[in-house]
Amino acid sequence: MLIAGFPAGAWGTNCYVVAPAAGEECVIIDPGHQAARGVEETLRKHRLKPVAVVLTHGHIDHVASVVPVCGAHGVPAWIHPEDRYMMSDPEKALGRSIGMPLMGELTVGEPDDVRELADGAALKLAGMDFSVAHAPGHTKGSVTFRMPELADIPPVFFSGDLLFAGSIGRTDLPGGSHAEMLESLARVCLPLDDSTVVLSGHGPQTTIGRERATNPYLREVAAGLAAGPHEGAPAPRRGM
């Protein structure tokens, strides 16, 4: 399997290009702010042909390049219906916190072909299997994508802004909920095998085993304590 990831744009959002191998079809995950050039470079380097864009949620730092990327390759974008509005109205999703000057530099809107994700969906794209889990907390329509273990490759979990190395996504923007975040961590993350590789929306990769042992939020959820963000745990990561 080939997974090429790079941080893009002002928020350092991780964009991933996933394929069975070089020279084959691929899936693009979260082409965010200023990600289009990195996507094209990755496609050329590995001789890949996109078949779809899939989005963990609708915040502008994860979807800002979805229109040009989908348009350049004639592929659909998949997003949860509760976050779909964010592609056309990103400022509403952020409480207008990122400011008009930046928004004026971005082309917002939907690509020509938008398809909606559902909890428990099984997507087969580019010959690969992706299991979808609805994971609200960061946004109402946040989802994760899990790929099964293959031969000697451990399972892979694209967590979006649900789970980071040592932290979790922020819950203070419109649609965010700390209670829902904790429930999603318990329902979506805790059942995963410790060997599962976590590729998140921001920061370095990690594993479920490492986070189960060291991440204060996941430890609290596992222990049934469900402490608030300032009750013995550091504040959630402040990406977007």
Side-chain angles (χ1 to χ4, degrees):
M1 182 181 295
L2 187 159
I3 301 177
F6 60 91
W11 297 279
T13 304
N14 291 326
C15 176
Y16 299 100
V17 180
V18 188
E24 299 195 23
E25 293 182 333
C26 70
V27 174
I28 300 164
I29 300 176
D30 287 354
H33 184 229
Q34 299 179 345
R37 178 178 296 180
V39 167
E40 296 305 320
E41 291 174 351
T42 301
L43 298 180
R44 286 194 298 270
K45 177 180 179 181
H46 299 289
R47 309 181 315 281
L48 300 173
K49 179 183 178 182
V51 298
V53 168
V54 297
L55 303 168
T56 61
H57 62 288
H59 280 161
I60 194 69
D61 62 325
H62 289 252
V63 307
S65 295
V66 69
V67 170
V69 169
C70 287
H73 300 281
V75 299
W78 293 79
I79 191 169
H80 192 277
E82 290 198 69
D83 275 14
R84 183 170 177 172
Y85 76 94
M86 298 185 188
M87 290 192 287
S88 299
D89 195 357
E91 289 189 318
K92 181 178 179 181
L94 299 171
R96 300 184 180 271
S97 63
I98 67 175
M100 290 300 295
L102 178 58
M103 295 310 298
E105 298 174 3
L106 303 177
T107 301
V108 299
E110 293 190 355
D112 291 337
D113 187 354
V114 178
R115 305 180 188 184
E116 295 186 345
L117 296 165
D119 185 40
L123 300 181
K124 193 169 189 67
L125 300 169
M128 301 176 292
D129 295 315
F130 296 84
S131 299
V132 180
H134 186 209
H138 182 61
T139 68
K140 291 296 184 184
S142 288
V143 300
T144 65
F145 302 102
R146 183 172 56 85
M147 301 182 71
E149 182 177 1
L150 297 172
D152 58 348
I153 300 173
V156 177
F157 179 60
F158 296 95
S159 64
D161 286 7
L162 171 65
L163 180 67
F164 300 131
S167 190
I168 59 173
R170 63 191 295 176
T171 59
D172 59 329
L173 294 172
S177 166
H178 188 70
E180 287 185 333
M181 178 69 81
L182 296 176
E183 190 278 331
S184 292
L185 290 170
R187 176 176 50 83
V188 177
C189 297
L190 285 182
L192 299 178
D193 189 84
D194 281 352
S195 67
T196 302
V197 176
V198 179
L199 299 178
S200 61
H202 301 269
Q205 78 175 50
T206 184
T207 66
I208 288 294
R210 183 179 301 131
E211 297 312 300
R212 199 189 310 275
T214 64
N215 187 305
Y217 294 94
L218 210 56
R219 291 181 65 184
E220 288 166 359
V221 170
L225 301 178
H230 299 293
E231 297 173 10
R237 183 187 181 100
R238 299 298 184 184
M240 178 180 290

